[in-house]
Amino acid sequence: MCIGWPMQVQQVEPGHAVCERRGTVRRVRTTLVGSVAPGDWLLVFLDDARERLDPQRAAEVDAALQLLEQVGLDPQHPQSADPGFDLPSRWSPEQLKALTGGDA
C-alpha cells in the first residue's frame, strides 16, 4: 500500500520541489502537478507529487495520518501492525452470511 503525505513546498527547482512535512525534507518530482510555488501544498507518494491540496485538505490528511500513528499503526509500514479487524474482502463465506443475513 502506498500512502500519500501532505507536504509543503519550500523551494522550487525545474521539474522538482523541495518539500517539508514535520521536519522531514524531500525532493519530489512535480511533473504531474505542473508548476508550483513555495507555500503550496502537495500530496506526495514516494517521490512524486500527485495532487495539489488546499491548506485545509492538507491539514485533514495530516490529521488522519496522525490518528493512525496514535493508535500504533505506522503509516509508512501499514502491514507492520494488526489493526484488529479484517476487510470484508478477506472474510469467509460464513462471516459474510452472518453479517448480511443472506447467502454469501
Side-chain angles (χ1 to χ4, degrees):
M1 176 182 354
C2 186
I3 294 181
W5 299 92
M7 300 190 83
Q8 190 170 33
V9 176
Q10 303 296 308
Q11 180 182 340
V12 178
E13 302 171 0
H16 292 83
V18 176
C19 298
E20 186 269 338
R21 176 186 183 265
R22 294 195 209 162
T24 299
V25 177
R26 293 173 63 181
R27 184 174 184 257
V28 300
R29 288 179 289 276
T30 57
T31 308
L32 297 175
V33 295
S35 62
V36 296
D40 287 351
W41 284 94
L42 303 173
L43 189 61
V44 177
F45 289 78
L46 300 175
D47 289 322
D48 288 301
R50 300 284 176 96
E51 181 181 338
R52 292 174 180 273
L53 301 173
D54 61 42
Q56 180 180 348
R57 183 67 179 143
E60 290 170 351
V61 172
D62 192 57
L65 293 170
Q66 204 166 15
L67 286 173
L68 290 174
E69 292 167 347
Q70 288 174 357
V71 297
L73 294 176
D74 180 355
Q76 293 185 38
H77 306 284
Q79 54 283 62
S80 66
D82 178 8
F85 64 89
D86 277 332
L87 295 173
S89 60
R90 297 183 60 183
W91 290 4
S92 70
E94 292 78 22
Q95 290 171 308
L96 289 171
K97 185 175 180 180
L99 175 70
T100 63
D103 293 332

